[in-house]
Amino acid sequence: YTSACIFKLIEENAINLDDRVGEYWPEFSCRGKEEMTIKQVLLHQSGLPKNRLVFQIFNATNWGKIVDDIARQKPDFIPGSKTAYQLLNYGFILGEIIQRVTGSPVDEYLRDQYLGPLGLTHTSMRRVDFEDELFAPLSSGTLDHQVVAWIFNSRRIRGSLIPAASLHSTAREMAIFYQMLLNNGEYAGKRFLEPETVNLMTSLGYEGFDQSLGRRTRWGYGFFLGGDHILHPEYMDGMGRGSSIETFGHYGQRNSMVWADKKTGLVVVFLCNRFLSSNENKFRLQQISNAIWDQVDNC
């Protein structure tokens, strides 16, 4: 969703993919980050994969404090030289660019450009209504994620703006958003993005080893691309055995996934409030996706 906001600005010629982050955020341009581009952040090549994660969680309510801290950070490697999935910094860096360019926080820009016009009333980047019947507390079926469940059940965290982790939605509303992308940027007679923009967003930006994930992967510009089973047959593929480079989507932390496939026109969303172990979750997602591909084969 953050990527969709970035590409809206690219389409409007407010920013360019190869622009340096520091052009819009001058304080960021220091300590080896001077040449870092927006494209490198989108492809998880910033060199700031997990930096200051605990600090960010404890200061989640203070956007300014977090981004000021990121601006002072030295990357783990020269930006663009390696790829390492950015857990939270992806959203903070791109979110700050959006705010610097538009004057609006990323969640407000997302609401104005996409969520409102799409009629998505149960989707937001921070939770404010904790009495809504659609609000689901998290639980953990594994010891190593009980603390994570506790942290993300707190109203302080759920109400904070953490673009890479705090999106709240329903399966139906996520399906509508992805259907809009699958429709080349159009939904219910409204144009949100041009076809060439969606094509670029969901195209292959990088294929190779990701240091954070510890394996080869395919990155689009804000999306995982399918075909993990092709890159390494021994790995459990959350998007299933029918996925390919034409499949794009993302996973939520051990409990959710969404993907869309250009060839078949499928949109698949699975949301769950229960964390499993890493392997159990991968197996669960693969089984769900494979069952769907079985039905496609039978059609």
Side-chain angles (χ1 to χ4, degrees):
Y1 288 67
T2 304
S3 172
C5 292
I6 286 288
F7 274 90
K8 186 71 173 178
L9 293 176
I10 290 173
E11 192 170 89
E12 294 174 348
N13 295 316
I15 62 175
N16 291 299
L17 198 58
D18 292 315
D19 286 347
R20 295 187 299 276
V21 175
E23 292 182 41
Y24 307 98
W25 183 2
E27 302 92 329
F28 184 87
S29 190
C30 66
R31 305 198 70 194
K33 305 190 301 299
E34 292 85 352
E35 300 301 317
M36 188 190 302
T37 65
I38 295 171
K39 180 178 181 179
Q40 288 167 348
V41 180
L42 284 164
L43 294 178
H44 298 280
Q45 296 173 346
S46 70
L48 299 168
K50 303 177 184 178
N51 305 56
R52 306 283 281 171
L53 189 64
V54 174
F55 172 88
Q56 291 166 354
I57 292 297
F58 276 101
N59 292 278
T61 59
N62 194 329
W63 178 274
K65 189 173 183 178
I66 290 174
V67 296
D68 287 348
D69 184 73
I70 291 172
R72 294 191 295 267
Q73 293 302 309
K74 181 179 180 180
D76 293 348
F77 53 80
I78 298 171
S81 65
K82 299 176 184 178
T83 299
Y85 175 57
Q86 306 149 123
L87 272 74
L88 298 185
N89 284 327
Y90 177 97
F92 287 132
I93 296 171
L94 296 178
E96 182 65 9
I97 292 171
I98 291 165
Q99 181 157 316
R100 297 271 176 144
V101 173
T102 68
S104 299
V106 57
D107 62 324
E108 293 182 10
Y109 186 75
L110 174 68
R111 181 196 63 206
D112 293 344
Q113 299 298 321
Y114 293 104
L115 305 183
L118 282 167
L120 306 185
T121 59
H122 293 289
T123 302
S124 63
M125 276 191 176
R126 46 182 154 189
R127 194 75 187 187
V128 293
D129 183 4
F130 292 92
E131 305 307 319
D132 189 326
E133 63 180 5
L134 296 178
F135 175 74
L138 296 166
S139 65
S140 181
T142 177
L143 287 175
D144 67 342
H145 247 48
Q146 286 185 347
V147 173
V148 175
W150 176 77
I151 290 172
F152 279 90
N153 274 331
S154 74
R155 294 194 174 199
R156 185 180 70 86
I157 295 296
R158 295 291 277 269
S160 297
L161 180 56
I162 311 173
S166 63
L167 185 80
H168 295 77
S169 191
T170 65
R172 185 178 187 277
E173 291 200 354
M174 291 197 83
I176 289 173
F177 190 86
Y178 268 73
Q179 188 65 57
M180 177 271 291
L181 296 175
L182 206 57
N183 293 350
N184 291 315
E186 186 175 353
Y187 188 83
K190 297 178 182 178
R191 167 79 44 200
F192 294 88
L193 292 166
E194 294 300 322
E196 55 268 26
T197 303
V198 178
N199 183 61
L200 176 58
M201 288 171 63
T202 58
S203 66
L204 181 65
Y206 171 79
E207 180 177 319
F209 189 76
D210 185 296
Q211 290 195 326
S212 295
L213 302 177
R215 60 178 173 84
R216 288 178 59 82
T217 194
R218 290 168 168 169
W219 282 116
Y221 295 87
F223 301 92
F224 277 109
L225 300 186
D228 270 344
H229 61 284
I230 298 169
L231 296 179
H232 26 74
E234 76 286 355
Y235 184 78
M236 287 181 282
D237 190 341
M239 295 186 191
R241 60 176 179 76
S243 69
S244 70
I245 203 167
E246 296 296 306
T247 313
F248 62 93
H250 218 287
Y251 304 102
Q253 188 178 158
R254 297 195 190 181
N255 68 348
S256 57
M257 71 173 174
V258 55
W259 54 264
D261 184 70
K262 298 177 185 179
K263 289 182 179 179
T264 61
L266 276 174
V267 176
V268 174
V269 185
F270 172 75
L271 304 182
C272 178
N273 66 331
R274 184 173 173 82
F275 295 133
L276 296 181
S277 70
S278 180
N279 284 337
E280 286 175 323
N281 182 58
K282 290 173 185 176
F283 181 74
R284 171 171 63 180
L285 299 184
Q286 179 178 259
Q287 292 295 93
I288 291 169
S289 293
N290 280 345
I292 292 166
W293 288 113
D294 288 344
Q295 293 304 308
V296 171
D297 291 343
N298 292 332
C299 290

